[in-house]
Amino acid sequence: MRCRMCGQRAVIRLRSHNIALCEGCLQEFIRRRVKKAIKDYRLLQPGERPLVAVSGGKDSLSVWDLLGELGFEAGGLYIHLGIGDYSDRSEEAARRFAEARGLELRVERVADHFSGLGIPELARLDRRPPCSICGMVKRYLMNKAAYEGGRVLVTGHNLDDEVATLFGNVLDWKEGYLSRQAPRLPAAPGLAPRTKPLVLCTEREMAAYAISRGIDYILEECPFSRGATSLFYKDLWNQLEERSPGAKLRFYQNFLRVRHLFREEEPRLQPCQSCGFPTTTELCNFCRLRDRAKGKKGNPP
Ligand code: AMP
Ligand code: FES
Ligand code: ZN
């Protein structure tokens, strides 16, 4: 198998694009896909400074790498969730990446905000699944860091992630979620703009990119994500893609064309009485949880 661009030995075949590529040309191909997403969906405007939320996994470290390659001055944010060794190892991966490249990495610890408690303890305290607490806490801390720093928040969501989320929302025709699923969400009072530059790149392409760039990412998934519905949807979509190459890309891009048909009144947001960030209730979920965590685990209130 030869590379379609340069004729050298190919390392990957991409059936959805009907090409095979060598390592160097794969990197160039991914750079072009990211540039296309940035241009087509206006993900980053000239002069905007990105803040990349990095989990230590292949996608977020790769998007940080790619933005640097494309000339953006991007900083990183790692959120230590307090999920045992998994969190320590992913922090290590994020730090190694930043140090090797001389990039600025900010680290936020969930325990510092919740009287020493991490996600597993908070989930027990609030009697909610860890992933739902985790999602809320991550969204809050990511937005706060980006908003206060005047940055555009960048996440590593790839095409497979977006297709799995979209599929779940379509199964239940969740109009509100459908109207808000976009590669870029605009700024609003108290909210930093959010963008996803990898929406045109698949999980497999990103794994190949990360390996070819020598990015030392953690393979380990969060222990709470095992058996999650999104993994089941991803598996289904890999089967669809196998039978019909390009299915994921068509599903996602065609959705973006009709997205304007889904409209739901925006929830009325007001500043949280404690922290000032937007919320639909008097006190935001983050502050409410912080108050509940006070005095737990033998910590002073
Ligand atoms: P996930 O919600 O785990 O699928 O992750 C989606 C995106 O959120 C990743 O690509 C990262 O950009 C970001 N992210 C996930 N976990 C963290 C973390 N612990 N710290 C900072 N960003 C994260
Ligand atoms: Fe948040 Fe798993 S519960 S990453
Ligand atoms: Zn608040």
Side-chain angles (χ1 to χ4, degrees):
M1 197 167 66
R2 295 274 144 204
C3 172
R4 237 293 270 290
M5 305 228 223
C6 73
Q8 285 187 48
R9 195 176 68 83
V11 293
I12 190 167
R13 181 160 175 226
L14 304 177
R15 286 176 66 211
S16 52
H17 299 279
N18 201 19
I19 48 170
L21 297 168
C22 71
E23 269 200 347
C25 292
L26 168 73
Q27 291 175 14
E28 182 53 27
F29 173 83
I30 296 293
R31 261 179 239 126
R32 283 194 207 160
R33 297 298 287 167
V34 170
K35 259 202 226 170
K36 178 176 165 53
I38 292 176
K39 180 165 163 274
D40 288 2
Y41 307 132
R42 299 168 190 218
L43 300 187
L44 290 162
Q45 313 296 333
E48 282 187 330
R49 287 183 313 149
L51 177 69
V52 184
V54 285
S55 64
K58 65 179 189 317
D59 301 301
S60 49
L61 291 181
S62 294
V63 76
W64 200 2
D65 175 64
L66 281 153
L67 290 182
E69 288 280 299
L70 296 177
F72 290 97
E73 219 183 279
L77 166 71
Y78 173 77
I79 301 169
H80 189 289
L81 301 163
I83 307 181
D85 291 348
Y86 165 73
S87 289
D88 296 337
R89 279 197 286 270
S90 46
E91 177 179 350
E92 261 310 298
R95 280 193 190 280
R96 272 197 308 269
F97 180 92
E99 273 162 27
R101 290 162 176 78
L103 296 169
E104 185 196 329
L105 177 72
R106 167 169 170 179
V107 175
E108 281 286 337
R109 291 181 188 281
V110 168
D112 291 344
H113 297 269
F114 295 96
S115 311
L117 305 185
I119 294 295
E121 296 85 25
L122 290 171
R124 243 173 280 138
L125 177 72
D126 218 34
R127 300 213 176 105
R128 276 167 61 194
C131 296
S132 93
I133 296 275
C134 175
M136 181 275 285
V137 168
K138 278 196 296 202
R139 273 192 303 277
Y140 183 94
L141 291 174
M142 285 179 195
N143 178 61
K144 182 170 161 42
Y147 184 79
E148 289 175 348
R151 307 281 193 121
V152 177
L153 182 67
V154 171
T155 55
H157 292 94
N158 59 37
L159 179 63
D160 293 49
D161 296 323
E162 292 304 285
V163 163
T165 304
L166 176 58
F167 187 59
N169 290 338
V170 165
L171 282 182
D172 287 327
W173 292 111
K174 288 185 182 156
E175 286 194 50
Y177 286 109
L178 289 167
S179 69
R180 287 190 292 272
Q181 188 175 350
R184 176 171 172 131
L185 292 172
L191 294 174
R194 281 177 282 165
T195 79
K196 304 169 185 172
L198 301 186
V199 288
L200 299 182
C201 306
T202 64
E203 189 124 8
R204 178 167 164 263
E205 288 160 11
M206 291 319 299
Y209 176 86
I211 292 166
S212 80
R213 293 281 295 165
I215 294 173
D216 186 10
Y217 62 92
I218 60 151
L219 269 167
E220 198 179 337
E221 293 281 344
C222 162
F224 296 117
S225 73
R226 268 178 231 139
T229 317
S230 63
L231 296 183
F232 173 61
Y233 292 161
K234 281 186 180 179
D235 191 44
L236 278 180
W237 272 92
N238 282 334
Q239 293 179 43
L240 281 172
E241 184 74 25
E242 187 64 35
R243 289 183 68 143
S244 173
K248 291 176 194 171
L249 209 48
R250 288 194 297 276
F251 183 58
Y252 184 65
Q253 288 185 308
N254 288 334
F255 160 69
L256 292 182
R257 271 182 218 122
V258 297
R259 191 175 73 93
H260 63 277
L261 300 176
F262 299 99
R263 243 185 239 152
E264 206 182 59
E265 226 171 271
E266 290 287 323
R268 276 219 343 199
L269 296 175
Q270 60 191 57
C272 166
Q273 290 196 346
S274 174
C275 69
F277 278 98
T279 171
T280 49
T281 45
E282 269 181 24
L283 211 57
C284 75
N285 287 330
F286 188 93
C287 290
R288 232 183 296 166
L289 188 60
R290 185 198 55 209
D291 290 350
R292 285 198 74 183
K294 274 184 194 154
K296 297 286 166 186
K297 207 180 158 187
N299 290 299

